[in-house]
Amino acid sequence: MSTTTTKTTRASGTTTSGGKPAVVQPRWRLPSALRHGGTLAWRGLVKTVGSPEALIDVTLQPVIFLLLFVYVFGGAIAGDSSTYLQFALPGVLVQTIVFASAGTGTALADDLKTGIFDRFRSLPISRTAPLLGAIGADLVRYLVSGVIMLVLGVVLGFRFSGGPLEVLAAMGMVMALAFALCWVFTALAMVVREPRSVQGIGALIMLPITFGSNVFVPADTMPSWLRGFVEVNPVSKVADAARGLLTGGPVAGPATAGLIAAAVITAVFMPLAVVLYQRRT
């Protein structure tokens, strides 16, 4: 009888044979992972609302970038600021999200140092929920940043060639890339323990893939050795798809390539980040 009772309590996760509480991590199931992740994402959003300064990097930074590139470099690149605004805004929208996604890794590295993830580990929740929650909350922040960028563009004179569905599709493309890159920087945060180091290494990743793309200038103006990298860069594909949706132009080809790239990045780095998280905690 005692043996049966011990096995039952171990399976239920209540006590061990020594009478001590046992922590059992539930198996990964998609519905529970999404539910638990949504709860933790809400926690992250409440935390952000309580600290409005946390939105500075995704609100003021893109505004500064757009104003600087349009009114400082626009005349030299496109001849006038209005013409360059039509080309630059979709690209700066993508660049802003790429830069912001590194903040996910920095924030996670900081949370890991404070011990909050040890508390999450002791709760009967999905093992991926803390990571899904952190990324989910950041995606909402990035969405707010994208809306601010589009509103500013309209104020500056940006003209949409499509309707609301095209705008939503462009935002969906950008958010798909953001989701994929968040897993890259999440995995990085599990390996690099210092938040400053995550930020520094993140910059080494972000700068080549954003400035080595067609975000700010057309690829055909670049030397041939650089153009090859630019044309296969996922950031370039998403930027082309966003331009096509917002200002007119080819959409199917770049959108397909961008979504495939985002799916591959997610498929590689999401399980890697989860494994590294389990080892780290």
Side-chain angles (χ1 to χ4, degrees), residues 86-264:
Q86 293 297 118
F87 177 86
L89 188 141
V92 175
L93 177 64
V94 177
Q95 179 254 6
T96 298
I97 300 301
V98 172
F99 269 56
S101 62
T104 299
T106 304
L108 282 171
D110 187 55
D111 284 342
L112 284 166
K113 290 193 68 175
T114 62
I116 185 64
F117 276 80
D118 292 330
R119 174 58 179 163
F120 291 153
R121 185 74 171 173
S122 68
L123 297 175
I125 60 176
S126 171
R127 288 171 290 183
T128 58
L131 302 183
L132 287 172
I135 292 175
D138 282 341
L139 288 177
V140 175
R141 294 172 59 239
Y142 305 157
L143 183 61
V144 171
S145 175
V147 172
I148 291 174
M149 285 285 296
L150 294 177
V151 171
L152 176 64
V154 172
V155 172
L156 297 178
F158 184 80
R159 299 178 302 278
F160 296 97
S161 64
L165 291 179
E166 284 77 8
V167 175
L168 290 176
M171 288 299 302
M173 283 291 307
V174 175
M175 297 304 291
L177 179 63
F179 181 75
L181 291 177
C182 282
W183 287 110
V184 175
F185 293 110
T186 296
L188 179 63
M190 300 303 148
V191 178
V192 181
R193 296 182 179 273
E194 292 296 328
R196 290 184 179 181
S197 299
V198 175
Q199 188 175 17
I201 297 174
L204 296 177
I205 299 173
M206 293 183 297
L207 291 175
I209 66 173
T210 52
F211 288 95
S213 69
N214 62 3
V215 164
F216 301 109
V217 294
D220 56 13
T221 64
M222 303 177 187
S224 58
W225 60 268
L226 179 58
R227 194 183 310 151
F229 171 77
V230 171
E231 290 176 350
V232 299
N233 188 345
V235 174
S236 297
K237 299 300 183 182
V238 176
D240 280 339
R243 286 194 186 99
L245 289 164
L246 297 178
T247 63
V251 174
T256 301
L259 290 175
I260 291 175
V264 170

